Amino acid sequence: SQQGEEDPQALSIQEGENATMNCSYKTSINNLQWYRQNSGRGLVHLILIRSNEREKHSGRLRVTLDTSKKSSSLLITASRAADTASYFCATDAEDGGSQGNLIFGKGTKLSVKP
Amino acid sequence: DTGVSQNPRHKITKRGQNVTFRCDPISEHNRLYWYRQTLGQGPEFLTYFQNEAQLEKSRLLSDRFSAERPKGSFSTLEIQRTEQGDSAMYLCASSLVLGQPGNQPQHFGDGTRLSIL
């Protein structure tokens, strides 16, 4: 079963705009990760945020984590056409669940138009 | 290129045939994972290895599926008597786990896309 649920399922914006994707999960976690997947390719790790962190930045990416609401958001600022991809959040399971494998949501499909 | 390598990239086979996929992880990584991804969904965990030991298998991994990592390096995933429902992208990932397992990013290959006719 899938732990995370991304919202929205699809997002279409113009180049230069910001894109915000949200993720909700069900169980307690050690950390939450965001991945990007270009069509027909594997997943690329973007950023990891630990359960005791509230916000993390990496270049044009900003991730927030609210463990009380079991939710996270990924913000991509000043988007580019090359950001067009599917974005997935993934969690481990702190509450006696699997040791190390990731549980993915269904993803948000982002389209950035030039 | 020192990333995760998967072969073949595409496999088309008839229902009932056996197929085998190979994954070569990043060389110093001790953990290797297999996931399955269907269209419009996120990857779903199948199994993982710590060195050569297979430590966990998902309920998705029926008895027609078997995975090996004989020398703790490359891994193979075999599907016997393939069914239509096996059509999916099979992804391999690896990571270096020294402490808390869940705190490591995983590095993915580009997958093997399996199509069952």
Side-chain angles (χ1 to χ4, degrees):
Chain A
S1 62
Q2 298 195 299
Q3 155 96 295
E5 291 290 334
E6 286 90 344
D7 170 55
Q9 289 188 334
L11 180 61
S12 182
I13 59 174
Q14 294 294 132
E15 209 165 28
E17 294 180 339
N18 295 343
T20 299
M21 288 158 269
N22 303 296
C23 167
S24 60
Y25 57 91
K26 297 173 186 173
T27 63
S28 298
I29 59 172
N30 288 307
N31 67 74
L32 185 143
Q33 303 182 37
W34 284 91
Y35 288 79
R36 184 187 76 221
Q37 185 177 34
N38 289 82
S39 181
R41 303 297 300 273
L43 283 79
V44 174
H45 179 260
L46 295 176
I47 199 164
L48 181 154
I49 186 165
R50 293 185 167 78
S51 58
N52 61 353
E53 297 176 313
R54 290 298 166 257
E55 188 171 311
K56 203 160 182 181
H57 297 253
S58 177
R60 294 183 296 112
L61 305 181
R62 172 177 167 252
V63 168
T64 62
L65 179 64
D66 187 336
T67 53
S68 67
K69 295 181 179 178
K70 291 187 169 58
S71 68
S72 173
S73 68
L74 170 68
L75 168 67
I76 304 174
T77 60
S79 64
R80 305 166 182 168
D83 295 328
T84 294
S86 291
Y87 291 82
F88 296 92
C89 68
T91 60
D92 64 352
E94 181 187 70
D95 57 343
S98 301
Q99 295 296 308
N101 64 285
L102 294 173
I103 307 169
F104 288 87
K106 294 183 179 181
T108 291
K109 195 167 186 178
L110 174 65
S111 176
V112 182
K113 298 178 181 178
Chain B
D1 189 321
T2 57
V4 177
S5 176
Q6 291 189 247
N7 288 288
R9 289 294 314 278
H10 303 275
K11 180 71 178 178
I12 301 172
T13 192
K14 292 182 180 178
R15 183 167 54 89
Q17 298 294 306
N18 299 345
V19 294
T20 301
F21 313 138
R22 176 178 169 127
C23 171
D24 288 90
I26 293 172
S27 58
E28 63 268 26
H29 284 183
N30 53 1
R31 285 231 172 161
L32 187 148
Y33 309 81
W34 285 99
Y35 293 85
R36 182 175 71 185
Q37 184 179 26
T38 52
L39 201 62
Q41 302 293 315
E44 293 178 295
F45 169 73
L46 293 178
T47 188
Y48 84 87
F49 294 83
Q50 172 94 5
N51 299 312
E52 66 275 8
Q54 188 173 17
L55 295 186
E56 186 171 352
K57 293 192 283 189
S58 159
R59 285 171 293 180
L60 291 175
L61 211 68
S62 77
D63 57 6
R64 295 185 299 106
F65 288 68
S66 62
E68 295 182 340
R69 194 183 183 198
K71 297 181 181 178
S73 56
F74 74 91
S75 174
T76 58
L77 177 68
E78 181 184 16
I79 309 174
Q80 296 181 327
R81 305 180 304 280
T82 53
E83 301 173 355
Q84 292 277 350
D86 296 333
S87 294
M89 174 83 89
Y90 290 83
L91 293 163
C92 174
S94 69
S95 66
L96 178 62
V97 175
L98 299 175
Q100 182 72 15
N103 286 335
Q104 310 299 329
Q106 295 183 13
H107 301 260
F108 283 78
D110 281 338
T112 294
R113 181 168 295 284
L114 174 65
S115 298
I116 306 298
L117 301 177

